[in-house]
Amino acid sequence: MIRPTHVPSSAAASRWARRTTHVALLACLALSAGPSAALARPAPTPGGATPAPGTPAPTPRTATPVEHFIFLMQENHTFDNYFGTRPGVDGLPKDACMPVKRGVPKPCVAPFHIGKLGAIDLDHSADAFRTQYNGGRMDGFVEGVSKQGKDGRMAMAYYDERDLPYYWNVADEYVLFDRFFSSSNSGSIRNHMYRVTGGPGATGKAETIPAQGWGDIPTIFDRLEEAGISWKFYVQNYDPTITFRSRVEEENIDRGAQVIWVPLLAYARYVDDPRLSSKIVDLDEYYTDAARGDLPAVSFIAPAGNSEHPPGNIGSGQNLVRALLTQLMRSPDWSSSAFLWSYDDWGGWYDHVTPPQIDRYGYGFRVPALLVSPYARRGYVDSTTLDFTSALKFIEVNWGVKPLASRDAKAQTFLGAFDFAAPPRPGVLLSAERVSVALHRPDPRPVYASYAVAVGLVAALVVTAALRGRRRSR
Amino acid sequence: MNLPGAPTAVLPGQRRGHRDDPARRRLPPPGSWLRALRRRRWTVAAALAAIAGLALLVRSWRIDFFGFNSDEVVYAGQAASLAGNPGYTDLFPVFRAHPMLFQALLSPLFRAGEAGMSGRWAVAVIGVLTVLAVYPLGARLYNRRVGLLAALLLAVMPYHVIVTRQILLDGPMVLLSTLTFYCMVRYVQEQREVWYLATAGMLGLTMLAKETSVVLAGSLYAFLALTPAVRRPVRATLLALPALVVVFAAHPVSQALAGRSDSGRNYLVWQLFRRPNHPMSFYLENVPTAIGVLLLVAAAGGLWWARRHSSWRETLLLSWIAVPVVFFQLWPVKGFQYLLPVAVPVVLLGARALVLLPVPARLRWPGRGAPARPVPARAGRLIRLAAVALVASTLAASSWDAVSHQGRTTFLAGSGGVPGGREVGRWLTEHTPEGSVILTLGPSMSNIVRFYSQRQSYGLSVSPNPLHRNPSYVPLNNPDGWLRNNNLHYVVWDAFSARRSPFFADRLMTLVRRYHGRVVHTEYVGTPGASGRVTPVPVVVVYEVRP
């Protein structure tokens, strides 16, 4: 037989060899701690030497073994809405019961499993937040929805492992954050801007995309460009014709949300500059890039129909995340990757944790967030206070780029969710079923015993026959 | 003791000193024959050792060159699962179609790690034991020379060699059926009921190796029915049947005690109603060449030219051949190895024929007008020796060819390992994440992939209709949906299944194209072309797929 051809294996070995260096760098980072300016230093070159002028710029080094960071933003759920019933997390309080009217304890609505009720698109505007937050009393979740003419009780519905088996399996195996807040106490536009700029984008009362776009507000991708660090923004069902120029109001054209979920499409320079616009690509490229081991250093992903935005099917959202993770785990880049996904705002659903108000815009309510990486701690619940700018902070720390705004400069990041001292874990394609079908293994003892008796019986017969024959022949 | 109606004269080549040999009473003085007997024993022992060595050589030569085939992985997987090997307990159920005697015997070898070649070595040793067991049988039926020659022929017979290089139930079953045969011969020769009981018990044990050997009960019945001279004591028969049932009861009893009493019934229903898997000409096309055409000719010729000397021995041998052949020919499900029990009576008949080969006493030399001259006894021996050498060498050459080939792009179930299967399985283990689920073309490759990769796998061609599938197989009612929902991560195409089911091969490739299939691994076999140049031909291809 002729020996087979093999697909080139990953560069994991060489990466692994650099792990020790990474740990040392991390220790340095920990020592230089907090101040973002210190963290923003470019990562040192090996041996501390400065590259000689004229020599090609070396590939930017990372402070951790994570060389590929992927950040997916799904839509509109709170932590309690997805993981509130999960043991071991800061989940739904046992005695939770939300007044139908603020300040009036009875009647109230207790959290309930959504069951076969269809999810509705609850109100999730800045107004709704104010009502539900109610000055920190957190008693307006039902009223915040019902005053929009919708069934306010639905705000208290939750999903659990029956509905989200894959996410719960991921949480068993990797990291679940239970103090991850949406950055803004309003809707999608500001939260997505926090995700890429560290700031709200639209200031003041209005939460809209300006007609002329976001102008020159710096994004994390500008930072990456300056530092020569590769990046891509993968967009599901990407339509390059939908930009801030073709969309003024979300309702104006079909799929106008693409401009909100991909804020770069509301920047003239990202739309007009072919070099930059070529990095905003269809999600299909994610699969081919991952398969080839060509994932950029930083990848942002925006969904389309599989965003889990109510009343959308959360199962299809799970399928999308599962497909993305499956491809990542099969990729040669897996051993140096981290995949974070979260939800852009609370979507109107109940969450019991009062969000700290660190400035005028936020935080918003907690949102689900999970981290998958070969270095992620197994089954770990990270309770660090985080928001979307924590992802920016991670990029800034890892690749040594400057912060964008005060939020990301001050943000905590999720380095504690990793265990870089341990070798990278091989990927595990988790089931989309919560309970794996365990086969009942029959008791082997009766099997051995029965056959031993049968063999013994026949042996006894043959020996008896042979011995009797001998005796007679004598 | 002489049997009523038994031959009163010793057949040429019949064992001397036999209980039914009238010449036994004319023994030479003890001093001389005792020395001769001892000398002969050493000679026989040396010859048997050489035959056993040869048998082991051909059964073990490059025994691990190819990985297991589908049947082998099922039996090895059962054994590993029974032993509690954590790599297999979730993937291979303990109870499937057959009793578990052999799997229970194998299981201590498979307690941890990959269930590997130790199983094949165990079967090879069982094959050698069968070869050795043929000697006393031949010696008892005829004489030592026939016994030795039969052992030699079985040692190099391609049919037996091929099957006893694989973890199949047929190898152990044939060893036990040979012992059953031996017990029956002892009963006929000694007429002691305890041998009758032992025959029944041994047949029960044979059925515990593989239940299809129940057909040999038909052989015994046919023999007894055709040989009125053999006593059929009613009492012994009344005891023999329960003995057989008690021994075989180990199978259902063990299943019931282990909590799986319905598995066997499911398989029985499926076997009774499944569609034919081969044409009626299957055995005719495959088995005679595997047994050896010259050997068959010799066996048939021997029966013809010694027909006047035929006795209960030939009746027993022919019954042992005819009943399984007729039964499996009529049975819709056919398998290459199913007729293996006939190998033993065929070598005995062939050896008898070669030892009895008639050489004319006088020959008229061509071109001479002189009267016919007597052929020297030495020349007769040389002719017989040449015939033996011819038959044995052709068998050995066929066996050697079978065990030395580099792999083919076609595969007949039961005829050996599957090229590329093991390698693909191991590749999947090393290069795919744990939890990957694999779609193969058919259930056979699915078994192999599951065994070697320890990943869950499904066969596309497994029928959703429970009447048309093996009860162990899980069908995918909607493979398209499984792929769309990211429940299948790799697709494995193989040339062997594709040749058998082109429809499903097309369907598989449609799914591969639809779900962005990307070739990630290929296994090849070298196929010599017309110019003699070896061309690598892909036999197994692994595609990575995604929604």
Side-chain angles (χ1 to χ4, degrees):
Chain A
M1 191 167 48
I2 291 170
R3 294 315 309 154
T5 53
H6 289 277
V7 166
S9 64
S10 72
S14 62
R15 286 168 186 150
W16 172 237
R18 293 195 337 232
R19 189 170 58 83
T20 321
T21 319
H22 290 138
V23 172
L25 286 172
L26 266 181
C28 294
L29 278 172
L31 285 174
S32 60
S36 54
L39 292 172
R41 284 193 308 247
T45 51
T50 310
T55 55
T59 307
R61 295 290 309 278
T62 53
T64 72
V66 175
E67 295 175 11
H68 307 279
F69 176 64
I70 301 130
F71 185 16
L72 163 72
M73 189 69 94
Q74 295 286 83
E75 295 284 314
N76 293 33
H77 289 279
T78 61
F79 182 86
D80 280 347
N81 181 235
Y82 267 15
F83 294 101
T85 57
R86 186 179 169 84
V89 300
D90 185 4
L92 288 165
K94 278 183 183 167
D95 55 352
C97 197
M98 185 58 50
V100 172
K101 276 195 87 64
R102 282 178 290 173
V104 184
K106 299 285 177 180
C108 64
V109 181
F112 62 95
H113 180 246
I114 193 163
K116 291 185 176 173
L117 292 174
I120 56 171
D121 188 9
L122 307 171
D123 189 31
H124 48 98
S125 62
D127 267 354
F129 177 85
R130 275 192 292 276
T131 306
Q132 294 182 321
Y133 180 70
N134 195 20
R137 285 182 286 281
M138 301 285 283
D139 62 355
F141 281 89
V142 173
E143 189 179 344
V145 175
S146 56
K147 76 178 190 182
Q148 300 293 325
K150 296 176 182 174
D151 183 356
R153 291 174 305 167
M154 285 303 292
M156 300 305 290
Y158 64 79
Y159 298 91
D160 64 16
E161 60 184 327
R162 289 167 286 181
D163 316 291
L164 299 160
Y166 181 67
Y167 290 168
W168 282 54
N169 286 341
V170 171
D172 288 346
E173 191 69 21
Y174 296 99
V175 176
L176 173 66
F177 299 97
D178 69 353
R179 273 189 73 78
F180 199 110
F181 295 90
S182 54
S183 294
S184 167
N185 49 25
S186 55
S188 296
I189 292 176
R190 282 199 182 118
N191 277 308
H192 279 279
M193 282 303 284
Y194 271 111
R195 181 191 183 201
V196 299
T197 69
T203 52
K205 263 197 148 184
E207 195 189 353
T208 54
I209 298 172
Q212 72 281 11
W214 294 115
D216 56 359
I217 299 173
T219 72
I220 190 66
F221 306 106
D222 295 324
R223 293 281 190 273
L224 296 173
E225 278 292 311
E226 288 161 19
I229 296 161
S230 58
W231 64 272
K232 273 187 184 176
F233 207 123
Y234 297 103
V235 187
Q236 190 180 28
N237 300 335
Y238 179 45
D239 182 349
T241 64
I242 302 174
T243 67
F244 71 105
R245 295 192 179 108
S246 59
R247 174 207 178 275
V248 179
E249 294 295 328
E250 191 177 342
E251 296 76 21
N252 279 1
I253 58 168
D254 189 28
R255 295 199 56 240
Q258 179 179 279
V259 187
I260 301 173
W261 296 353
V262 188
L264 302 188
L265 296 175
Y267 279 84
R269 64 179 184 278
Y270 281 97
V271 173
D272 299 333
D273 183 342
R275 193 173 54 83
L276 294 176
S277 65
S278 69
K279 298 184 180 187
I280 305 168
V281 296
D282 192 90
L283 186 59
D284 267 356
E285 271 194 34
Y286 166 85
Y287 296 102
T288 50
D289 288 350
R292 285 198 304 259
D294 281 345
L295 281 174
V298 175
S299 306
F300 274 41
I301 301 178
N306 297 349
S307 68
E308 300 169 49
H309 192 306
N313 184 342
I314 58 167
S316 66
Q318 284 190 107
N319 279 349
L320 171 67
V321 175
R322 191 161 168 237
L324 295 169
L325 285 174
T326 297
Q327 196 63 32
L328 182 62
M329 288 176 181
R330 296 191 294 193
S331 168
D333 291 332
W334 161 251
S335 60
S336 56
S337 297
F339 187 107
L340 175 77
W341 88 93
S342 187
Y343 292 77
D344 75 332
D345 62 53
W346 83 112
W349 303 99
Y350 170 65
D351 191 83
H352 79 281
V353 174
T354 310
Q357 296 302 295
I358 59 168
D359 57 29
R360 182 182 168 192
Y361 297 105
Y363 296 142
F365 296 116
R366 287 188 310 169
V367 287
L370 295 103
L371 177 75
V372 174
S373 167
Y375 297 100
R377 295 179 189 276
R378 191 188 296 271
Y380 182 65
V381 178
D382 189 327
S383 300
T384 312
T385 300
L386 304 166
D387 76 318
F388 304 141
T389 64
S390 300
L392 297 179
K393 181 65 167 274
F394 175 78
I395 295 168
E396 290 155 12
V397 166
N398 198 42
W399 279 277
V401 295
K402 283 190 297 182
L404 292 154
S406 63
R407 270 281 192 100
D408 57 315
K410 292 177 190 164
Q412 300 190 79
T413 189
F414 38 81
L415 284 172
F418 295 102
D419 178 9
F420 292 123
R425 285 196 271 154
V428 180
L429 302 187
L430 297 170
S431 169
E433 289 174 13
R434 183 65 182 141
V435 182
S436 60
V437 183
L439 281 178
H440 165 66
R441 181 175 167 250
D443 185 356
R445 286 170 302 184
V447 181
Y448 288 121
S450 307
Y451 286 98
V453 166
V455 171
L457 197 65
V458 175
L461 274 173
V462 173
V463 168
T464 306
L467 289 178
R468 284 182 68 180
R470 270 196 185 178
R471 255 182 249 135
R472 282 204 185 176
S473 62
R474 277 176 199 162
Chain B
M1 184 186 81
N2 281 332
L3 290 172
T8 51
V10 182
L11 280 172
Q14 187 173 9
R15 187 183 183 201
R16 293 193 183 279
H18 219 265
R19 194 171 294 278
D20 53 353
D21 174 8
R24 186 181 175 219
R25 293 166 192 170
R26 299 192 298 273
L27 291 174
S32 60
W33 64 257
L34 199 60
R35 273 197 302 277
L37 186 67
R38 280 184 183 150
R39 202 166 48 241
R40 229 175 9 223
R41 278 188 176 169
W42 278 110
T43 313
V44 167
L48 276 178
I51 290 169
L54 178 65
L56 191 60
L57 175 71
V58 287
R59 279 158 185 77
S60 60
W61 180 255
R62 298 169 78 182
I63 195 167
D64 63 344
F65 193 71
F66 296 123
F68 295 159
N69 60 43
S70 174
D71 288 343
E72 287 184 282
V73 300
V74 166
Y75 301 135
Q78 279 183 289
S81 205
L82 180 67
N85 187 323
Y88 300 91
T89 46
D90 287 347
L91 297 170
F92 288 89
V94 171
F95 296 113
R96 287 173 74 122
H98 303 293
M100 295 286 295
L101 176 64
F102 178 52
Q103 295 90 320
L105 186 74
L106 280 187
S107 61
L109 303 173
F110 294 159
R111 292 175 72 176
E114 185 183 277
M117 286 296 147
S118 51
R120 276 195 183 161
W121 276 100
V123 181
V125 168
I126 285 171
V128 174
L129 290 176
T130 311
V131 169
L132 294 176
V134 163
Y135 165 72
L137 189 55
R140 188 160 278 281
L141 279 173
Y142 299 107
N143 62 21
R144 287 194 177 89
R145 211 176 295 167
V146 171
L148 279 175
L149 183 53
L152 173 67
L153 295 174
L154 191 67
V156 294
M157 177 195 279
Y159 196 24
H160 195 253
V161 168
I162 289 167
V163 177
T164 53
R165 285 166 57 89
Q166 305 169 60
I167 303 179
L168 297 177
L169 306 182
D170 304 80
M173 186 259 276
V174 169
L175 171 63
L176 293 168
S177 73
T178 306
L179 297 178
T180 306
F181 197 106
Y182 179 84
C183 291
M184 189 63 191
V185 170
R186 291 291 294 259
Y187 167 68
V188 174
Q189 290 179 333
E190 299 178 18
Q191 290 292 297
R192 270 194 229 112
E193 288 169 4
V194 68
W195 279 115
Y196 200 54
L197 279 176
T199 305
M202 195 62 83
L203 182 59
L205 211 54
T206 310
M207 288 162 59
L208 284 181
K210 193 174 182 183
E211 76 287 356
T212 54
S213 57
V214 68
V215 70
L216 296 175
S219 296
L220 290 175
Y221 177 80
F223 165 67
L224 292 172
L226 292 170
T227 321
V230 175
R231 197 163 64 90
R232 275 155 288 180
V234 175
R235 192 183 61 174
T237 306
L238 288 176
L239 284 173
L241 277 176
L244 188 151
V245 170
V246 165
V247 171
F248 185 70
H251 173 44
V253 166
S254 65
Q255 275 199 347
L257 291 177
R260 290 295 166 92
S261 55
D262 57 342
S263 304
R265 284 199 296 273
N266 294 344
Y267 279 97
L268 185 63
V269 170
W270 175 64
Q271 288 285 4
L272 287 174
F273 293 103
R274 68 181 281 195
R275 294 170 183 164
N277 58 344
H278 288 292
M280 288 297 279
S281 57
F282 174 77
Y283 289 121
L284 194 62
E285 288 166 4
N286 293 289
V287 175
T289 48
I291 287 179
V293 176
L294 281 181
L295 176 63
L296 286 171
V297 169
L303 282 171
W304 174 254
W305 66 68
R307 62 189 178 283
R308 286 182 194 161
H309 302 292
S310 289
S311 66
W312 61 270
R313 298 168 178 79
E314 290 71 41
T315 309
L316 180 55
L317 289 166
L318 284 174
S319 302
W320 210 254
I321 294 170
V323 174
V325 167
V326 170
F327 178 83
F328 286 115
Q329 182 60 39
L330 296 176
W331 188 251
V333 182
K334 296 179 170 53
F336 174 73
Q337 71 274 30
Y338 287 6
L339 293 183
L340 194 65
V342 309
V344 171
V346 166
V347 291
L348 287 165
L349 286 172
R352 167 185 176 262
L354 290 169
V355 169
L356 287 179
L357 187 68
V359 178
R362 302 176 73 85
L363 263 184
R364 190 183 299 276
W365 301 104
R368 296 182 188 181
R373 292 184 178 181
V375 176
R378 197 175 163 191
R381 281 201 297 276
L382 278 174
I383 289 169
R384 288 194 184 100
L385 198 62
V388 167
L390 178 67
V391 173
S393 61
T394 52
L395 290 178
S398 294
S399 288
W400 195 250
D401 180 55
V403 302
S404 305
H405 74 80
Q406 298 290 311
R408 301 186 180 99
T409 56
T410 57
F411 177 74
L412 173 62
S415 65
V418 173
R422 171 182 57 191
E423 289 70 21
V424 156
R426 288 179 177 167
W427 184 90
L428 287 164
T429 308
E430 288 168 16
H431 295 86
T432 65
E434 189 188 329
S436 298
V437 184
I438 294 141
L439 177 68
T440 63
L441 213 168
S444 299
M445 187 52 78
S446 172
N447 282 335
I448 295 169
V449 163
R450 189 181 309 153
F451 183 85
Y452 282 113
S453 69
Q454 299 187 358
R455 306 274 188 266
Q456 189 55 268
S457 64
Y458 299 92
L460 180 67
S461 65
V462 173
S463 171
N465 183 342
L467 290 176
H468 294 160
R469 68 162 187 263
N470 183 318
S472 292
Y473 297 152
V474 178
L476 286 186
N477 292 335
N478 182 2
D480 194 87
W482 274 58
L483 283 156
R484 199 180 319 118
N485 291 323
N486 197 31
N487 290 322
L488 294 168
H489 310 110
Y490 295 90
V491 170
V492 173
W493 173 94
D494 70 280
F496 320 110
S497 310
R499 191 179 291 264
R500 279 202 300 272
S501 42
F503 169 78
F504 284 105
D506 279 353
R507 211 169 146 219
L508 189 86
M509 292 315 295
T510 303
L511 292 173
V512 165
R513 285 188 291 274
R514 186 177 298 161
Y515 292 99
H516 314 281
R518 187 174 72 95
V519 175
V520 289
H521 183 73
T522 307
E523 286 288 335
Y524 299 91
V525 295
T527 305
S531 63
R533 195 176 156 197
V534 175
T535 310
V537 176
V539 285
V540 192
V541 182
V542 182
Y543 296 89
E544 184 182 282
V545 286
R546 65 175 175 85

